[in-house]
Amino acid sequence: EAGVTQFPSHSVIEKGQTVTLRCDPISGHDNLYWYRRVMGKEIKFLLHFVKESKQDESGMPNNRFLAERTGGTYSTLKVQPAELEDSGVYFCASSHDRVYEQYFGPGTRLTVT
Amino acid sequence: GENVEQHPSTLSVQEGDSAVIKCTYSDSASNYFPWYKQELGKRPQLIIDIRSNVGEKKDQRIAVTLNKTAKHFSLHITETQPEDSAVYFCAPRGASGSARQLTFGSGTQLTVLP
Protein backbone atom coordinates (compact mmCIF):
# COMPACT_ATOMS: atom_id res chain seq x y z
CA GLU A 1 0.00 0.00 0.00
CA ALA A 2 1.47 3.35 -1.02
CA GLY A 3 1.81 5.91 1.74
CA VAL A 4 0.84 9.54 1.79
CA THR A 5 2.82 11.49 -0.79
CA GLN A 6 3.47 15.21 -1.02
CA PHE A 7 4.84 17.43 -3.75
CA PRO A 8 7.13 19.27 -3.93
CA SER A 9 9.52 18.17 -1.21
CA HIS A 10 11.08 21.63 -1.10
CA SER A 11 10.00 25.02 -2.34
CA VAL A 12 11.85 28.30 -2.13
CA ILE A 13 9.89 31.38 -3.14
CA GLU A 14 10.09 35.10 -2.64
CA LYS A 15 7.78 37.07 -0.42
CA GLY A 16 4.65 37.97 -2.33
CA GLN A 17 4.76 34.98 -4.66
CA THR A 18 2.30 32.11 -4.78
CA VAL A 19 2.98 28.47 -3.98
CA THR A 20 0.74 25.43 -4.27
CA LEU A 21 1.44 22.30 -2.27
CA ARG A 22 -0.08 18.96 -3.16
CA CYS A 23 -0.97 15.96 -1.05
CA ASP A 24 -2.05 12.52 -2.22
CA PRO A 25 -3.54 10.54 0.67
CA ILE A 26 -3.55 6.79 1.07
CA SER A 27 -6.10 5.34 -1.32
CA GLY A 28 -9.48 4.92 0.35
CA HIS A 29 -8.80 7.37 3.15
CA ASP A 30 -11.66 9.83 3.34
CA ASN A 31 -10.02 11.98 6.01
CA LEU A 32 -7.23 14.30 4.97
CA TYR A 33 -5.45 16.73 7.29
CA TRP A 34 -2.96 19.52 6.80
CA TYR A 35 -0.49 20.39 9.55
CA ARG A 36 2.43 22.80 9.71
CA ARG A 37 5.63 22.91 11.71
CA VAL A 38 7.28 26.28 11.94
CA MET A 39 10.99 26.16 12.75
CA GLY A 40 11.61 24.69 16.19
CA LYS A 41 7.98 24.70 17.23
CA GLU A 42 5.31 22.07 17.54
CA ILE A 43 3.31 20.63 14.67
CA LYS A 44 0.06 22.56 14.40
CA PHE A 45 -3.22 21.59 12.81
CA LEU A 46 -4.42 23.63 9.83
CA LEU A 47 -7.52 21.92 8.50
CA HIS A 48 -9.40 18.67 7.99
CA PHE A 49 -11.27 17.35 4.95
CA VAL A 50 -13.78 14.55 4.91
CA LYS A 51 -13.89 13.55 1.28
CA GLU A 52 -14.24 16.86 -0.57
CA SER A 53 -15.79 18.80 2.33
CA LYS A 54 -13.93 20.98 4.78
CA GLN A 55 -14.81 19.55 8.18
CA ASP A 56 -12.70 21.89 10.27
CA GLU A 57 -10.52 24.77 9.12
CA SER A 58 -10.05 26.39 12.51
CA GLY A 59 -6.28 26.14 12.26
CA MET A 60 -5.87 28.10 9.03
CA PRO A 61 -3.83 31.18 9.95
CA ASN A 62 -5.47 33.68 7.59
CA ASN A 63 -7.16 34.09 4.22
CA ARG A 64 -3.88 33.88 2.34
CA PHE A 65 -4.20 30.12 2.71
CA LEU A 66 -6.64 28.21 0.53
CA ALA A 67 -7.10 24.45 0.64
CA GLU A 68 -9.09 22.39 -1.81
CA ARG A 69 -9.88 18.74 -2.29
CA THR A 70 -11.89 18.54 -5.48
CA GLY A 71 -13.29 15.06 -6.08
CA GLY A 72 -12.27 13.92 -2.63
CA THR A 73 -8.92 12.52 -3.68
CA TYR A 74 -5.78 14.65 -3.61
CA SER A 75 -5.66 18.02 -1.93
CA THR A 76 -3.87 21.27 -2.64
CA LEU A 77 -2.86 24.02 -0.26
CA LYS A 78 -2.21 27.38 -1.87
CA VAL A 79 -0.45 30.25 -0.15
CA GLN A 80 -1.02 33.59 -1.87
CA PRO A 81 0.75 35.92 -1.34
CA ALA A 82 3.42 34.20 0.72
CA GLU A 83 4.94 35.97 3.72
CA LEU A 84 8.19 35.28 5.56
CA GLU A 85 6.35 33.74 8.54
CA ASP A 86 4.82 31.11 6.28
CA SER A 87 8.17 29.31 6.12
CA GLY A 88 8.09 25.86 7.66
CA VAL A 89 7.32 22.26 6.89
CA TYR A 90 3.79 21.48 5.74
CA PHE A 91 2.61 17.98 6.47
CA CYS A 92 -0.38 16.16 5.13
CA ALA A 93 -1.91 13.17 6.89
CA SER A 94 -4.75 10.83 6.08
CA SER A 95 -6.90 8.35 7.93
CA HIS A 96 -9.66 5.89 7.23
CA ASP A 97 -13.04 7.00 8.47
CA ARG A 98 -13.42 4.20 10.99
CA VAL A 99 -10.04 4.35 12.68
CA TYR A 100 -8.11 7.00 14.53
CA GLU A 101 -4.62 6.43 13.20
CA GLN A 102 -3.31 9.23 11.01
CA TYR A 103 -0.49 8.54 8.57
CA PHE A 104 1.77 11.38 7.61
CA GLY A 105 3.39 12.34 4.35
CA PRO A 106 7.05 13.35 4.12
CA GLY A 107 6.20 17.04 4.20
CA THR A 108 6.96 20.01 1.99
CA ARG A 109 9.63 22.35 3.27
CA LEU A 110 8.61 25.87 2.30
CA THR A 111 11.10 28.68 2.51
CA VAL A 112 9.93 32.23 1.86
CA THR A 113 12.76 34.70 1.33
CA GLY B 1 -9.17 23.65 22.62
CA GLU B 2 -6.69 21.09 23.84
CA ASN B 3 -3.54 22.21 25.68
CA VAL B 4 -0.70 19.73 25.56
CA GLU B 5 2.54 19.82 27.50
CA GLN B 6 5.36 17.42 26.86
CA HIS B 7 8.42 16.83 29.06
CA PRO B 8 11.32 16.76 28.89
CA SER B 9 12.22 18.78 25.80
CA THR B 10 15.56 16.98 25.52
CA LEU B 11 16.66 13.64 26.90
CA SER B 12 20.02 11.92 26.65
CA VAL B 13 20.46 8.33 27.75
CA GLN B 14 23.16 5.71 27.48
CA GLU B 15 22.54 2.87 25.08
CA GLY B 16 20.69 0.11 26.90
CA ASP B 17 19.07 2.42 29.43
CA SER B 18 15.38 3.30 29.52
CA ALA B 19 13.75 6.55 28.42
CA VAL B 20 10.45 7.99 29.60
CA ILE B 21 8.62 10.93 28.06
CA LYS B 22 5.49 12.38 29.62
CA CYS B 23 2.59 14.20 28.02
CA THR B 24 -0.10 16.12 29.88
CA TYR B 25 -3.33 17.17 28.19
CA SER B 26 -6.26 19.35 29.20
CA ASP B 27 -9.33 17.98 27.38
CA SER B 28 -10.93 15.32 29.56
CA ALA B 29 -12.91 14.14 26.51
CA SER B 30 -9.75 13.13 24.62
CA ASN B 31 -10.01 9.48 23.68
CA TYR B 32 -6.99 8.60 21.57
CA PHE B 33 -3.35 8.99 22.55
CA PRO B 34 -0.65 8.35 19.96
CA TRP B 35 3.08 8.84 20.00
CA TYR B 36 4.97 9.79 16.87
CA LYS B 37 8.67 9.48 16.11
CA GLN B 38 10.28 11.88 13.69
CA GLU B 39 13.80 11.30 12.48
CA LEU B 40 15.68 14.22 10.99
CA GLY B 41 14.18 15.22 7.65
CA LYS B 42 11.61 12.43 7.67
CA ARG B 43 7.89 12.16 8.24
CA PRO B 44 6.32 11.74 11.68
CA GLN B 45 5.77 8.03 12.13
CA LEU B 46 3.19 6.52 14.44
CA ILE B 47 5.01 4.18 16.81
CA ILE B 48 2.38 3.34 19.39
CA ASP B 49 -1.05 4.50 20.45
CA ILE B 50 -3.62 3.80 23.13
CA ARG B 51 -7.36 4.28 23.44
CA SER B 52 -9.07 5.73 26.47
CA ASN B 53 -10.44 2.41 27.67
CA VAL B 54 -7.00 0.89 28.17
CA GLY B 55 -4.37 1.76 30.79
CA GLU B 56 -1.27 0.32 29.16
CA LYS B 57 -0.10 -1.03 25.83
CA LYS B 58 3.21 -2.60 24.96
CA ASP B 59 4.93 -3.37 21.66
CA GLN B 60 8.35 -4.96 22.09
CA ARG B 61 10.63 -2.28 23.60
CA ILE B 62 8.00 0.45 23.49
CA ALA B 63 5.09 0.96 25.87
CA VAL B 64 2.52 3.66 26.54
CA THR B 65 0.72 4.17 29.83
CA LEU B 66 -2.38 6.29 30.29
CA ASN B 67 -3.73 7.93 33.44
CA LYS B 68 -7.08 9.45 32.46
CA THR B 69 -7.79 10.76 35.93
CA ALA B 70 -4.60 12.78 35.97
CA LYS B 71 -4.82 13.48 32.23
CA HIS B 72 -1.39 12.32 31.26
CA PHE B 73 0.19 9.55 29.25
CA SER B 74 3.77 8.44 28.92
CA LEU B 75 6.04 6.79 26.40
CA HIS B 76 8.47 4.21 27.74
CA ILE B 77 11.38 2.92 25.67
CA THR B 78 13.47 0.14 27.19
CA GLU B 79 16.90 -1.12 26.11
CA THR B 80 17.44 2.00 24.03
CA GLN B 81 19.49 1.79 20.86
CA PRO B 82 21.19 4.54 18.80
CA GLU B 83 18.47 4.23 16.15
CA ASP B 84 15.94 5.36 18.76
CA SER B 85 17.50 8.82 18.56
CA ALA B 86 14.82 11.13 17.13
CA VAL B 87 12.21 13.69 18.13
CA TYR B 88 9.16 12.16 19.78
CA PHE B 89 5.77 13.85 19.80
CA CYS B 90 2.65 13.07 21.77
CA ALA B 91 -0.56 14.04 19.97
CA PRO B 92 -3.80 13.47 21.88
CA ARG B 93 -6.98 13.59 19.86
CA GLY B 94 -10.11 15.30 21.04
CA ALA B 95 -13.50 13.69 20.99
CA SER B 96 -15.90 16.58 20.75
CA GLY B 97 -17.69 17.52 17.57
CA SER B 98 -15.46 17.56 14.53
CA ALA B 99 -12.29 17.73 16.61
CA ARG B 100 -10.54 14.82 14.97
CA GLN B 101 -7.30 16.64 14.60
CA LEU B 102 -4.28 15.76 16.65
CA THR B 103 -2.87 18.36 19.02
CA PHE B 104 0.87 17.90 19.14
CA GLY B 105 3.16 18.41 22.07
CA SER B 106 6.30 20.45 21.58
CA GLY B 107 8.45 17.36 21.07
CA THR B 108 11.26 15.62 22.92
CA GLN B 109 14.68 15.27 21.33
CA LEU B 110 15.93 11.87 22.46
CA THR B 111 19.62 11.13 22.03
CA VAL B 112 20.90 7.64 22.72
CA LEU B 113 24.61 7.71 23.38
CA PRO B 114 26.59 4.63 22.27
Side-chain angles (χ1 to χ4, degrees), chain B residues 99-112:
Chain B
R100 295 190 187 184
Q101 72 270 25
L102 304 175
T103 301
F104 281 80
S106 52
T108 296
Q109 174 68 60
L110 173 65
T111 303
V112 179

Side-chain angles (χ1 to χ4, degrees), chain A residues 4 35 45 97 102 104-105, chain B residues 36 38 43 100-102 104:
Chain A
V4 178
Y35 294 87
F45 167 78
D97 193 47
Q102 293 186 22
F104 279 73
Chain B
Y36 283 83
Q38 187 178 22
R43 73 187 72 198
R100 295 190 187 184
Q101 72 270 25
L102 304 175
F104 281 80

